[in-house]
């Protein structure tokens, strides 16, 4: 069974940057698509970005496109989310997840069939 642990969250001013990391253990990431989700206070969880394992292709929510970059290092069993030009509305708990590689972006970004979830890291953006 895979364990996912997020880190890198914190308090940042609007316009600033943060890099989230997700460390996986227990299983290799090779067979999984990896995604980041977030949940803001009082709001529903939303998919932020996903990256496939087979070809490294990526997908982003419109709200973060051009500002966030997802990446992975299978050799290190790590996934990253570089967040630039942060806005107050990016404030949320961010979760790292692993799901079936080869699923559609729609299913992955919807959180359907995700196999593992981390406990999250809080990102707070002050305006």
């Amino acid at each position: 069974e895979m364990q996912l642990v997020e880190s890198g969250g914190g308090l940042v001013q609007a316009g600033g940057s943060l890099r989230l990391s997700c460390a996986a253990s227990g299983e290799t990431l090779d067979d999984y698509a990896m995604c980041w989700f977030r949940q803001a206070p009082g709001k529903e969880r939303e998919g932020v970005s996903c990256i496939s394992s087979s070809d490294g292709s990526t997908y982003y929510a419109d709200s973060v496109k051009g500002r966030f970059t997802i990446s992975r290092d299978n050799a290190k069993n790590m996934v990253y989310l570089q967040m630039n030009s942060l806005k107050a509305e990016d404030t949320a708990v961010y979760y790292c997840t692993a799901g079936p590689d080869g699923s559609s972006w729609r299913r992955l970004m919807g959180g359907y069939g995700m196999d593992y979830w981390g406990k999250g890291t809080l990102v707070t953006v002050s305006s």
Side-chain angles (χ1 to χ4, degrees):
E1 184 166 326
M2 184 184 292
Q3 290 81 43
L4 299 171
V5 179
E6 304 92 339
S7 62
L11 175 63
V12 64
Q13 287 189 331
S17 298
L18 281 176
R19 187 195 196 205
L20 304 185
S21 298
C22 172
S25 61
E27 287 189 44
T28 178
L29 291 180
D30 290 0
D31 297 329
Y32 295 93
M34 301 300 296
C35 298
W36 288 93
F37 285 78
R38 67 185 182 186
Q39 187 164 21
K43 294 189 177 181
E44 298 211 348
R45 182 191 69 199
E46 65 171 335
V48 174
S49 180
C50 294
I51 183 168
S52 76
S53 182
S54 56
D55 61 5
S57 56
T58 58
Y59 188 90
Y60 297 92
D62 288 343
S63 57
V64 306
K65 203 172 293 182
R67 301 188 297 121
F68 291 11
T69 303
I70 191 171
S71 61
R72 64 191 294 161
D73 186 337
N74 284 359
K76 295 182 178 180
N77 250 20
M78 295 289 296
V79 183
Y80 306 98
L81 185 69
Q82 178 67 44
M83 306 186 296
N84 298 329
S85 302
L86 283 161
K87 305 175 181 179
E89 51 263 42
D90 295 318
T91 295
V93 177
Y94 285 72
Y95 299 92
C96 175
T97 70
D101 201 38
S103 288
S104 69
W105 293 129
R106 182 176 182 178
R107 284 189 59 82
L108 288 171
M109 291 289 284
Y112 299 109
M114 304 308 284
D115 296 293
Y116 303 106
W117 292 76
K119 294 185 177 181
T121 185
L122 177 62
V123 172
T124 303
V125 184
S126 63
S127 56

